[in-house]
Amino acid sequence: MKIGDLDFLLHAGKLLDAHPRNVDWPDWFCDKHADIHAETTRDFLIEALLKVRSKTRGLVALRPNRAQAEYSLKCSRRNIVLKARQVGVTTYIAARFFIQTITQPGTVTLQVAHDQESAEDIFRIVHRFRENLPEEMQQGALRTSRANVRQIAFPQLDSEYRVATAADENAGRGTTVHNLHCSEVARWPGNPQETLTSLRAAVPEHGDIVLESTPRGAGGVFYDEWQQAGETGYARHFFPWWYEEAYCLPAAQSDARLSEEESELVERAGLALGQIAWRRNMRSQVRGLALQEYAEDPMSCFRASGECVFEVSAIERAATHARAPLEVRDNERWMMWFPPQPNSEYIVGADPAGGALMAISPARR
């Protein structure tokens, strides 16, 4: 069989979770990729076929990094991923779903980003996958009927790959979605619970769902999904910042003396001095957002979503005594405990430091 033939793709698609030795590869294809040591056919095809843009520019093969390899080993049909920034999760999920889309007929894949810019970034990743496939694939079984408006269709397979935003009320409606990736759920606008419920309803029991995000405070739909994962049957995956090899500096750039906190982290995570140097530099720049953007454990990353004047632990203790709000909107960024009273005067305190998302607290005189 030739790799551009439909029969070859269908053959590989039946064995995605099996060892690559079970696939009847063309001899030249095996020889060309003899250096790949993947445990599954899916990961073999990802590394052999898919190209990504490296952080140092230029196209390179998608060789799974630490977070991606761990996800591949431990993922299930239902997954929730809590992660630090830019550890490669979105790209790898796109790659896994792309391989399924081009090898399993009738597959519909949908990735949902939190805003339009992010959706376009994800689609560029997927479009790059397709544009750099071997020519015989592009001109053979994987010839597309359309590849625009964040949608790629493969008519010979009757498969589609779509990218949408959480603000699109029609995303996923009226169709069966076999692979659903919800990206940066903690940042979804509007009513994210309603959006997520609608999207999940489109996925059959044998389909795959991935909820993924960096944290954004101890509240909102993603926080709730993470806390309840044990009850809902979702496999939890946590990837801290040190899973990214690039997060390292020459140790000589930093004082080798470690604080008590740093010593504990080195012992717990096995970090090198170069990673501690990077951590110090990162924290000097992002300051109060460090725990959120570059998570180190799945608990503290939720507790702080910026620099707080008040001690976070004290706020958390007080919150345990507060009753549930009467109304919640916009991913718990708007909460009401008491309805407004007519003919009353209110004092409003606003914290504009966070930019567009201000913390506003009214108090009745």
Side-chain angles (χ1 to χ4, degrees):
M1 289 185 287
K2 297 180 179 180
I3 63 168
D5 291 345
L6 182 60
D7 288 343
F8 170 75
L9 293 173
L10 300 183
H11 170 59
K14 294 176 181 178
L15 300 168
L16 289 183
D17 294 317
H19 195 278
R21 72 170 69 96
N22 295 309
V23 179
D24 184 18
W25 306 103
D27 290 339
W28 70 267
F29 194 70
C30 288
D31 293 341
K32 181 178 180 180
H33 301 292
D35 61 327
I36 298 178
H37 303 290
E39 292 298 317
T40 66
T41 299
R42 185 197 319 272
D43 281 336
F44 181 88
L45 288 172
I46 286 174
E47 194 167 342
L49 297 178
L50 305 187
K51 297 289 190 295
V52 293
R53 189 166 58 192
S54 71
K55 291 185 177 181
T56 56
R57 301 188 181 94
L59 292 179
V60 296
L62 203 176
R63 296 181 182 273
N65 62 20
R66 182 178 175 181
Q68 294 163 348
E70 185 173 311
Y71 180 85
S72 176
L73 185 65
K74 298 180 179 181
C75 66
S76 66
R77 289 290 189 188
R78 301 290 185 268
N79 302 276
I80 183 165
V81 181
L82 172 63
K83 64 184 184 66
R85 290 187 61 185
Q86 297 186 331
V87 292
V89 172
T90 299
T91 297
Y92 182 66
I93 299 302
R96 288 178 62 88
F97 286 171
F98 184 80
I99 291 298
Q100 284 180 242
T101 305
I102 66 171
T103 61
Q104 296 179 344
T107 296
V108 175
T109 292
L110 176 62
Q111 286 191 276
V112 183
H114 68 290
D115 60 22
Q116 183 171 332
E117 182 179 357
S118 298
E120 291 170 355
D121 287 342
I122 292 173
F123 187 72
R124 278 192 286 269
I125 291 171
V126 178
H127 191 264
R128 193 174 294 117
F129 290 162
R130 185 186 71 88
E131 287 292 294
N132 289 280
L133 288 171
E135 190 66 23
E136 59 186 292
M137 280 186 159
Q138 293 190 52
Q139 299 303 320
L142 298 182
R143 185 185 294 272
T144 59
S145 61
R146 61 180 177 274
N148 50 44
V149 197
R150 299 200 296 264
Q151 181 177 2
I152 302 175
F154 302 98
Q156 288 197 48
L157 285 158
D158 191 27
S159 292
E160 294 184 20
Y161 202 114
R162 305 175 183 176
V163 180
T165 70
D168 183 356
E169 297 180 355
N170 296 316
R173 290 186 181 275
T175 188
T176 298
V177 176
H178 305 95
N179 301 316
L180 173 64
H181 174 201
C182 301
S183 181
E184 289 297 342
V185 179
R187 288 159 176 75
W188 279 16
N191 188 333
Q193 185 61 68
E194 183 178 316
T195 303
L196 186 57
T197 299
S198 175
L199 288 168
R200 284 199 281 212
V203 182
E205 186 175 348
H206 62 273
D208 290 343
I209 300 177
V210 182
L211 311 181
E212 159 265 306
S213 190
T214 49
R216 196 180 192 185
V221 66
F222 183 77
Y223 174 79
D224 292 341
E225 290 287 339
W226 178 264
Q227 299 300 323
Q228 298 164 11
E231 303 169 20
T232 58
Y234 276 66
R236 288 191 184 101
H237 308 268
F238 173 66
F239 302 127
W241 63 261
W242 53 82
Y243 273 42
E244 172 52 55
E245 292 181 354
Y247 293 160
C248 187
L249 291 174
Q253 292 189 17
S254 182
D255 188 340
R257 291 173 297 181
L258 302 179
S259 67
E260 182 178 348
E261 179 205 24
E262 290 171 339
S263 296
E264 291 176 357
L265 187 59
V266 166
E267 183 177 353
R268 172 167 63 89
L271 301 188
L273 290 179
Q275 291 172 299
I276 293 297
W278 182 89
R279 181 178 187 260
R280 290 174 178 175
N281 182 65
M282 174 270 292
R283 290 193 160 210
S284 70
Q285 297 180 50
V286 301
R287 298 187 295 177
L289 290 173
L291 284 176
Q292 172 181 287
E293 300 299 311
Y294 298 96
E296 297 186 344
D297 67 75
M299 293 168 287
S300 65
C301 64
F302 283 117
R303 291 203 296 261
S305 58
E307 295 193 61
C308 295
V309 172
F310 305 104
E311 185 180 348
V312 173
S313 59
I315 297 174
E316 290 176 335
R317 286 194 299 271
T320 62
H321 300 293
R323 71 182 190 185
L326 295 176
E327 187 176 349
V328 176
R329 300 178 192 170
D330 199 18
N331 215 354
E332 293 194 13
R333 289 189 282 270
W334 187 98
M335 294 185 285
M336 180 177 70
W337 279 266
F338 300 97
Q341 301 298 311
N343 304 316
S344 296
E345 291 186 1
Y346 288 86
I347 299 172
V348 177
D351 175 10
L357 295 174
M358 293 192 296
I360 300 176
S361 301
R364 187 180 178 188
R365 280 184 181 272

